[in-house]
Amino acid sequence: MTTAITVALLVILLVIGLPVAFALLLSAAVGLFLIGGPGLVLGILQTTPSTAVSSYELITIPMFILMAEFMIVSRVADEMFELIGRWVRRLPGGLAIATAISGAAFGAVSGSSTAAAATLSASSVPTMIKHGYDPRFASGVVAISGTLAMLIPPSIALILYGLLSGESIAVLLIAGIVPGLMVLAVIILTVFTLIWIRPSWAPRMDDEFSKESHSVAALLFLLLFLIVTGAIYLGVATPTEASAIGAFGALLIAVGRGTTNLGMLRQAVYRALRTTAMIGAIIIGAQVFGYFLTITQIPNLIISHIGDMDVPSWVILIGIICIYLVLGMFLDQIAILILTVPIMLPLIVHLGYDPVWFGVLIVVLAEIGLVTPPVGINAFVVSRYTGVPLEDVFIGVIPHILAHFVVIILLVLFPALVLWLPNTM
């Protein structure tokens, strides 16, 4: 009964729009109060905040966020889109392909799918519509391309999964590279398929974007990405150290290119602090809720119950995938990770699956949730920044959602697609 009351309260708080951190804290506090009274609640609330955010690895999140903010104010992301657009402009759907590649590139410096979607919306959708692209087609490509930031290192989602699961953050970040490239390839193939069916959606381009060369911006971006990811892969630096190097390198780029002033840098730091505080609050709430789960032994009960079921493990895995797809329709990726990893991960390990592979799989599933109605956050972001009606964005992204299931099937059938590259570290 205590568990039912606590879970029901959490669901109600999330449905009415209370921030995830406070929903977790309040519901967990009520559950702990019902179990052990005010003494238990106060004892946990007094010690949890300091222990939850004192992890050395947690520094990775604000450093990578700061790196992204500095890269944004330096306008390197916008110039990368211009450059990639010139490279592929003569291909069928060249601007859409440039958007997908730019989504991967921006994901390599942001780690935030929402930020990637907002940036791509402001830069690529107006350009595509100007050149005669169908608005639904253009907005759908942008919405799905923004999700690449969840897989391409440095992925905030994978870092958070590492903190929740205890798995190596370095291994998780490297494990996201091959699936990220697979998703990029699927997006591009989907673009080609749609244009083959409806050529009028993406007229061919004969003119160039801009005569200005952005080769220096591309070189700086690639250099920073290789330094950060290469340092992690080669073991030269931990993810925390690599994130600090990345933030400092992005600051040097922003200052050295002369495109920023002190006020812009101050705003970048402020935005990074605000996002970090939000994630920190969620982690504290998740830790308190985790104590409730531990005391009530809910994960152990679930594992015991499923272990007694006479069904193959792949059937249970399909059920778990369906749960994540449904949750993605209503919750953002951070909330999904916070709520499910403490329960699902022990079950996955019990079934014999690799926890690193599972982390990448649920991030891909969360990608679908970001563009799935009724609460596809990326779709809302694209609609807001472009003025394209929300229902048109959802219609435009449906083919990409269907194509994503191909990636999920491949990852389930061939776990080596995720685990091969980390095993070479």
Side-chain angles (χ1 to χ4, degrees), residues 56-78:
Y56 174 71
E57 290 79 8
L58 188 61
I59 303 173
T60 307
I61 293 178
M63 288 294 100
F64 276 136
I65 293 174
L66 191 60
M67 180 180 78
E69 293 293 343
F70 286 150
M71 293 296 282
I72 290 172
V73 298
S74 69
R75 296 197 74 252
V76 168
D78 294 338

Side-chain angles (χ1 to χ4, degrees), residues 35-246:
I35 293 173
L40 178 62
V41 177
L42 291 176
I44 290 178
L45 292 181
Q46 286 174 353
T47 58
T48 299
S50 59
T51 57
V53 297
S54 62
S55 169
Y56 174 71
E57 290 79 8
L58 188 61
I59 303 173
T60 307
I61 293 178
M63 288 294 100
F64 276 136
I65 293 174
L66 191 60
M67 180 180 78
E69 293 293 343
F70 286 150
M71 293 296 282
I72 290 172
V73 298
S74 69
R75 296 197 74 252
V76 168
D78 294 338
E79 295 184 12
M80 281 291 295
F81 175 71
E82 289 273 352
L83 181 62
I84 295 171
R86 291 215 312 272
W87 289 344
V88 300
R89 69 186 183 279
R90 298 188 186 279
L91 293 175
L95 289 181
I97 296 171
T99 299
I101 298 174
S102 297
F106 191 79
V109 296
S110 73
S112 168
S113 59
T114 305
T119 302
L120 291 172
S121 298
S123 58
S124 61
V125 172
T127 304
M128 282 192 279
I129 293 177
K130 173 186 173 183
H131 287 85
Y133 279 56
D134 180 80
R136 289 180 177 179
F137 172 77
S139 58
V141 172
V142 170
I144 198 67
S145 297
T147 64
L148 284 165
M150 295 182 63
L151 276 175
I152 303 293
S155 164
I156 300 301
L158 287 175
I159 293 172
L160 187 56
Y161 176 83
L163 293 172
L164 293 170
S165 65
E167 296 298 317
S168 168
I169 293 176
V171 171
L172 286 166
L173 291 176
I174 299 302
I177 293 178
V178 172
L181 295 175
M182 288 174 58
V183 171
L184 174 60
V186 166
I187 293 173
I188 294 175
L189 289 175
T190 304
V191 167
F192 281 136
T193 303
L194 292 174
I195 294 173
W196 177 70
I197 297 173
R198 293 287 182 88
S200 61
W201 283 357
R204 286 183 177 270
M205 289 179 55
D206 295 323
D207 59 321
E208 296 187 1
F209 273 18
S210 169
K211 300 300 182 182
E212 180 183 357
S213 174
H214 300 300
S215 300
V216 174
L219 181 62
L220 292 173
F221 166 81
L222 291 174
L223 181 62
L224 184 62
F225 175 75
L226 290 174
I227 290 175
V228 173
T229 306
I232 296 173
Y233 176 79
L234 295 174
V236 176
T238 65
T240 305
E241 295 164 346
S243 67
I245 294 171

